[in-house]
Amino acid sequence: MNDMKTPTRVDKSVLSVTTTLRAHQREWWSDLQQRVENGEQFVLAGASVPHEIFEAMDIPYVTDVWYSGIVAAKRQSGYYSELLERKGYHAGLDRYSSLAYAVALDESDTPKPWGGLPRPALVVTMGAVGGSEAIARHYGVPHINLERPIAAHPSVAWWEQAHYAWEDLEESHRIDVLASQYEALIETCERVFDRKLDRDRLRGILDVVNEQESCFEDVRRVLQTAPKLPVRLAEVMSQVMGIQWHRGTQWALEQARTFRDEVRQRAEDELWICPNEKLRLMYVGRGLWQQLEFLSEFEESHGVVFARSNYLSIACDAYPHYGMRRPVRTLAARYATFNDYLHYPPWGGAWAAWEARTHRLDGAVQLDSGDHGVKFILRALESEGIPVLNLPTDPVDSRAWDGEKMRALMVQFIETRLAKEK
Amino acid sequence: MASASYRPSRAPLVVNAGPTIPLEPFWAAGCRVEVVEGIPGGSTEAGDRYMEDGLEVTVRSVFDQFVRGTWDEADLIVLDRSYRDVYYYLKELVRLGLAPGLPKLHLFDLLLTRDLPVQRYNAGQVEMLVEAVEYASDRRLERAELQNALVRSDEVRAQYRQLNEQRRRGVILGSEALRHIAVIRAADPSYQVLELQALNASLEERVPVDRPRLLLVTGDTSDVLALHHAAEKAGANIVAEDYRWGSRTAVAAHIEDADPVAAIAATAHRDGNGPELTPFSARIRWALEAGAEQIDGAVLHVSPNDRVLGWYLPELCAALKELGVPVLNLVEDAQSSESGIALHDAIRTWLGPAMMPGTRLKEVS
């Protein structure tokens, strides 16, 4: 329990939208808890699930990894990881999406992050990751696990086709089988929540999502082209994901517009987060949600900034899908490969290398979390002349964090490999 | 564990890995068939240059064999979705020009979910598998040939069911049964029927072995044999295991359908097992059924690299205990020699000195 002490943190936020995001999240969460207390039901959903269907049906939903991120940010992940082990779930199991389950299992008086997770009415996941099925069993509620068909004929530069030519990219039979699973999900939602899906509304929500993602594309363009970095990556990651979990709402669209405008303005005003910027790094793989501030620790000492993460870039490249004749199919096309683009070959490496070029990067850091495909990504980056550092830690489990060791590894990487390349 | 070849060497060779791949199309086309599995304790050095250490030993070992060129003589490699990593990685090696000798790769993507509509997609996967076999064998497969393969396959299944019964009687050690299966499992059905008939007849003559009968569930199929050896060394006998090339060979006859492709798809879906099977209730139904009768205890094992089964073990453990089946949970690397000793010690301690054959075990911990 020693990791549950309130940590001392230096707030390096430069955007006003960071404050409005935090306020909105607290307000939304408190509202959700109140609604659930009043008898309303909600869905606990995985990250790669079509949240837009819930939005179109006015069904509240919470994303499991968002809640895991909250647990990690509160530095309670170590406590909850140990609790899972005490309950019989061995230490090698993934914690990224499972901390919500751990919180549900905790019968002690320990204060739960943000007051704890209320009982959902339905659990929906893609690929049965982590404790998703276990949490449904724990609460005795239905669980739907969507199965993603595998792409047998991968197209390397997927990001060039994803927005418009998705029928060719994802193949019709794969889109069809996922769409038929979504139809089954819709039927379940209609039964459990006693309401009907309005497909015109769903179409409208997808249009809003496309517009929101285009704001993110504008932000990415600024980060790629501005002479120096106008905003810290930790702030970008928090902002992007905070908005993504509410995508399709008017709030999310307005927040994304304001975010874009603020970043643009800072670049126009030449307000750089590290005026002494010398080296630009990218961040590959899952976020270091338990230690986001770590990314900015090398600005003053070494002029190092982090300019790119998966989170903004996947929002720009994988989310927007145009062509809404059959909106459920359009959504299915988005998720037919999705996560696999992030790390599996050939996609993960080709995408990372392209991103490194367009962001003018000098190096990369990735969490050595054993993600599939990592070695091919490293190979692709290094063949582009981008050195990569593996940080041996976990995205959310604070027990795996050794700050001194990580700092030493970073300094050695910067002073030896990056300086040499430069 | 490569099985015996039975066809003239000019017959096309199909190599496959994954618990959901139906062998009937290969048999119908007269192919030689090899099943690729992880090599227990084998080096994975060649594959580890490209594949992450955290992946299951079986996956790394199968990948390593392809990278080394062990199966380059094949005409076709078929992998199922539980080997998606191997498929993607090999495709990438081909694209990068790093695996010039690799045969044609085919992905058989049978979706196993019990809750969602996947039948049409699965039938399409069987159609594509048949096309891949036709390409490899350079001939068209008639529906009647597929139908005939199903009939012959059902005869084999009946023999495997008999073998399972003999195992339950305790007349054969689990490791011996697995060795027999490994030798014949991919051979032509007629050959398998003859071999299994002879084996089952010889087992009729045997006196039951006086050992506790155990059920085994493990997360990594490379560990199955090591766990058998550990149990046998501890004085017990594993009579059922959640493993396609063990007790899972004893499946029911094919689902009847006028279209053999539909019959293959529906049957493969019904019989499907392994890490891709959801939901939880379907995943453990087999173990609960197997645990309900003639079992003295269950060994539930996960290796340190396990990422899936561990999520189900507490629930499975509780369900078995509710049935009155004592359970031993093991989280060990079954491949190292040190672990071999630790495993059989753990099983022996659990069995206890007062254990009486044929009765339920008293739980030690």
Side-chain angles (χ1 to χ4, degrees):
Chain A
M1 296 266 298
N2 58 358
D3 69 331
M4 293 186 62
K5 284 180 283 185
T6 308
T8 310
R9 287 184 162 175
V10 180
D11 191 347
K12 292 184 175 176
S13 307
V14 296
L15 302 175
S16 70
V17 281
T18 295
T19 312
T20 56
L21 173 69
R22 285 175 188 156
H24 176 267
Q25 284 188 328
R26 289 219 169 261
E27 194 185 314
W28 163 79
W29 182 251
S30 140
D31 178 58
L32 178 82
Q33 286 180 312
Q34 190 57 56
R35 287 163 71 183
V36 172
E37 214 165 278
N38 294 341
E40 204 168 334
Q41 297 186 311
F42 80 100
V43 175
L44 181 64
S48 308
V49 159
H51 298 168
E52 288 83 350
I53 288 173
F54 310 134
E55 190 62 42
M57 296 176 82
D58 282 327
I59 298 170
Y61 62 92
V62 175
T63 313
D64 55 9
V65 289
W66 170 80
Y67 193 75
S68 280
I70 294 291
V71 177
K74 295 285 172 194
R75 304 277 169 88
Q76 286 180 276
S77 53
Y79 168 73
Y80 284 109
S81 295
E82 279 169 19
L83 185 136
L84 282 174
E85 282 170 49
R86 285 201 303 278
K87 297 285 183 183
Y89 299 98
H90 69 80
L93 295 170
D94 180 44
R95 298 294 186 240
Y96 193 60
S97 55
S98 311
L99 294 175
Y101 178 45
V103 173
L105 285 175
D106 188 10
E107 290 164 348
S108 75
D109 296 332
T110 305
K112 312 286 185 298
W114 284 27
L117 188 69
R119 178 183 182 275
L122 174 67
V123 178
V124 184
T125 48
M126 168 79 99
V129 287
S132 53
E133 198 176 342
I135 200 168
R137 282 200 309 276
H138 176 80
Y139 285 119
V141 299
H143 173 233
I144 291 185
N145 179 52
L146 303 160
E147 283 199 358
R148 176 183 295 130
I150 291 172
H153 309 290
S155 180
V156 180
W158 60 270
W159 59 91
E160 292 175 357
Q161 287 179 277
H163 294 183
Y164 297 98
W166 43 263
E167 191 80 42
D168 293 339
L169 177 68
E170 305 296 355
E171 302 178 277
S172 302
H173 67 288
R174 295 180 63 242
I175 298 171
D176 287 343
V177 73
L178 201 50
S180 68
Q181 294 180 54
Y182 287 4
E183 294 294 348
L185 168 65
I186 291 164
E187 277 176 33
T188 302
C189 286
E190 290 181 340
R191 194 179 62 248
V192 171
F193 297 92
D194 193 24
R195 60 194 75 172
K196 285 275 172 200
L197 172 69
D198 176 345
R199 285 168 200 256
D200 285 333
R201 181 149 186 237
L202 176 62
R203 198 171 283 119
I205 285 169
L206 290 173
D207 283 335
V208 169
V209 172
N210 284 343
E211 199 177 340
Q212 174 208 300
E213 309 299 351
S214 76
C215 294
F216 289 154
E217 177 62 66
D218 294 339
V219 171
R220 179 168 68 167
R221 202 164 300 122
V222 173
L223 303 189
Q224 288 168 332
T225 58
K228 291 179 184 178
L229 202 65
V231 60
R232 286 189 178 84
L233 192 62
E235 214 169 352
V236 172
M237 285 164 62
S238 299
Q239 195 62 220
V240 168
M241 294 321 297
I243 295 170
Q244 285 286 69
W245 301 140
H246 300 277
R247 64 184 178 275
T249 65
Q250 279 306 314
W251 173 86
L253 180 56
E254 286 311 316
Q255 183 78 4
R257 283 175 177 153
T258 314
F259 171 47
R260 185 256 329 265
D261 294 345
E262 269 201 73
V263 173
R264 266 186 187 163
Q265 195 59 53
R266 282 186 61 85
E268 278 170 23
D269 296 344
E270 300 190 356
L271 293 170
W272 314 125
I273 53 137
C274 177
N276 184 36
E277 178 181 312
K278 289 177 187 159
L279 295 164
R280 293 163 68 89
L281 301 188
M282 76 189 287
Y283 187 38
V284 184
R286 294 192 269 188
L288 185 55
W289 293 105
Q290 54 154 317
Q291 297 284 343
L292 279 178
E293 64 273 28
F294 178 73
L295 305 181
S296 59
E297 284 189 21
F298 308 93
E299 290 167 6
E300 271 186 44
S301 58
H302 294 84
V304 167
V305 296
F306 281 82
R308 185 267 177 194
S309 79
N310 275 353
Y311 296 89
L312 175 62
S313 295
I314 198 78
C316 299
D317 290 330
Y319 275 85
H321 274 61
Y322 298 91
M324 297 293 171
R325 208 156 61 161
R326 292 158 72 187
V328 172
R329 277 193 100 250
T330 309
L331 255 182
R334 181 206 288 167
Y335 289 112
T337 308
F338 200 72
N339 275 17
D340 292 352
Y341 286 142
L342 291 169
H343 50 85
Y344 272 121
W347 309 298
W351 187 50
W354 175 70
E355 287 273 287
R357 284 196 297 275
T358 53
H359 284 78
R360 307 162 6 240
L361 301 174
D362 302 293
V365 172
Q366 74 108 26
L367 303 191
D368 187 16
S369 52
D371 271 352
H372 307 225
V374 161
K375 286 188 180 175
F376 280 106
I377 294 177
L378 304 194
R379 188 185 180 91
L381 285 170
E382 293 193 341
S383 72
E384 290 277 323
I386 306 289
V388 184
L389 169 67
N390 273 308
L391 274 185
T393 191
D394 184 271
V396 296
D397 188 347
S398 58
R399 295 174 304 169
W401 181 253
D402 178 344
E404 246 176 69
K405 183 180 166 190
M406 302 302 154
R407 271 175 216 104
L409 285 170
M410 271 296 292
V411 168
Q412 188 188 24
F413 177 65
I414 294 165
E415 292 179 355
T416 56
R417 296 192 64 195
L418 292 186
K420 194 174 149 196
E421 295 288 331
K422 199 77 175 172
Chain B
M1 286 185 281
S3 63
S5 300
Y6 64 95
R7 290 270 174 186
S9 60
R10 64 180 176 275
L13 174 62
V14 179
V15 164
N16 71 99
T20 64
I21 299 166
L23 304 187
E24 289 77 9
F26 311 146
W27 291 332
C31 297
R32 289 179 294 144
V33 184
E34 295 283 3
V35 175
V36 184
E37 289 185 291
I39 299 170
S43 163
T44 54
E45 199 183 337
D48 286 350
R49 273 183 288 159
Y50 309 106
M51 188 170 265
E52 293 69 37
D53 306 340
L55 270 67
E56 293 86 348
V57 175
T58 297
V59 172
R60 285 166 54 203
S61 174
V62 166
F63 179 64
D64 184 85
Q65 293 171 55
F66 289 119
V67 173
R68 280 176 195 277
T70 308
W71 300 104
D72 278 4
E73 63 169 310
D75 298 282
L76 178 67
I77 295 171
V78 181
L79 303 167
D80 80 1
R81 65 186 277 121
S82 66
Y83 285 96
R84 62 165 73 77
D85 296 81
V86 176
Y87 179 77
Y88 284 143
Y89 286 35
L90 289 176
K91 291 282 276 189
E92 183 67 345
L93 291 181
V94 170
R95 190 179 77 89
L96 297 173
L98 296 170
L102 198 74
K104 181 179 163 63
L105 281 170
H106 181 84
L107 183 84
F108 178 70
D109 187 29
L110 189 87
L111 299 179
L112 288 180
T113 174
R114 295 299 189 254
D115 301 332
L116 297 164
V118 293
Q119 296 86 343
R120 192 172 153 201
Y121 180 81
N122 285 345
Q125 290 298 309
V126 175
E127 284 285 9
M128 285 190 265
L129 179 65
V130 168
E131 282 170 23
V133 173
E134 288 178 334
Y135 182 83
S137 59
D138 197 22
R139 61 178 287 247
R140 186 173 158 69
L141 264 182
E142 300 300 332
R143 288 300 205 238
E145 290 177 295
L146 280 172
Q147 197 68 58
N148 179 258
L150 297 193
V151 172
R152 294 189 300 141
S153 173
D154 284 345
E155 290 166 9
V156 178
R157 289 168 177 232
Q159 289 300 321
Y160 278 123
R161 290 197 296 274
Q162 271 193 38
L163 176 59
N164 245 24
E165 285 308 310
Q166 302 289 10
R167 290 184 64 190
R168 293 293 181 123
R169 280 182 57 224
V171 294
I172 181 170
L173 285 177
S175 61
E176 187 188 347
L178 293 192
R179 274 197 301 276
H180 279 287
I181 296 170
V183 169
I184 61 170
R185 62 191 172 187
D188 185 85
S190 313
Y191 176 81
Q192 288 196 59
V193 167
L194 286 175
E195 289 290 309
L196 286 165
Q197 278 173 339
L199 175 63
N200 285 328
S202 74
L203 294 177
E204 284 293 339
E205 311 294 319
R206 288 199 199 172
V207 178
V209 184
D210 193 17
R211 288 167 177 254
R213 288 163 299 192
L214 303 182
L215 161 72
L216 171 66
V217 178
T218 179
D220 195 321
T221 54
S222 289
D223 295 335
V224 170
L225 211 51
L227 288 157
H228 269 269
H229 289 144
E232 288 166 13
K233 212 167 171 183
N237 183 22
I238 293 171
V239 298
E241 59 288 291
D242 189 9
Y243 170 44
R244 183 185 183 182
W245 302 112
S247 305
R248 290 278 200 171
T249 49
V251 280
H254 280 82
I255 292 169
E256 286 189 24
D257 195 302
D259 177 7
V261 166
I264 291 171
T267 306
H269 182 261
R270 180 198 66 191
D271 299 340
N273 59 82
E276 300 292 331
L277 180 55
T278 62
F280 168 77
S281 53
R283 186 90 194 271
I284 67 166
R285 190 176 303 128
W286 175 89
L288 294 180
E289 285 169 6
E293 290 176 31
Q294 298 174 304
I295 294 289
D296 298 313
V299 174
L300 311 183
H301 169 263
V302 289
S303 64
N305 279 359
D306 167 69
R307 296 288 179 271
V308 180
L309 187 64
W311 287 113
Y312 304 92
L313 282 190
E315 198 75 8
L316 176 57
C317 184
L320 283 166
K321 283 180 177 174
E322 206 167 293
L323 286 174
V325 178
V327 174
L328 174 65
N329 274 307
L330 294 171
V331 184
E332 297 280 349
D333 176 3
Q335 305 292 337
S336 76
S337 54
E338 278 177 23
S339 290
I341 297 166
L343 285 171
H344 91 246
D345 277 352
I347 296 172
R348 180 171 288 161
T349 307
W350 174 62
L351 291 173
M355 189 275 307
M356 296 293 289
T359 60
R360 299 279 188 189
L361 294 170
K362 283 183 181 173
E363 213 171 345
V364 174
S365 59

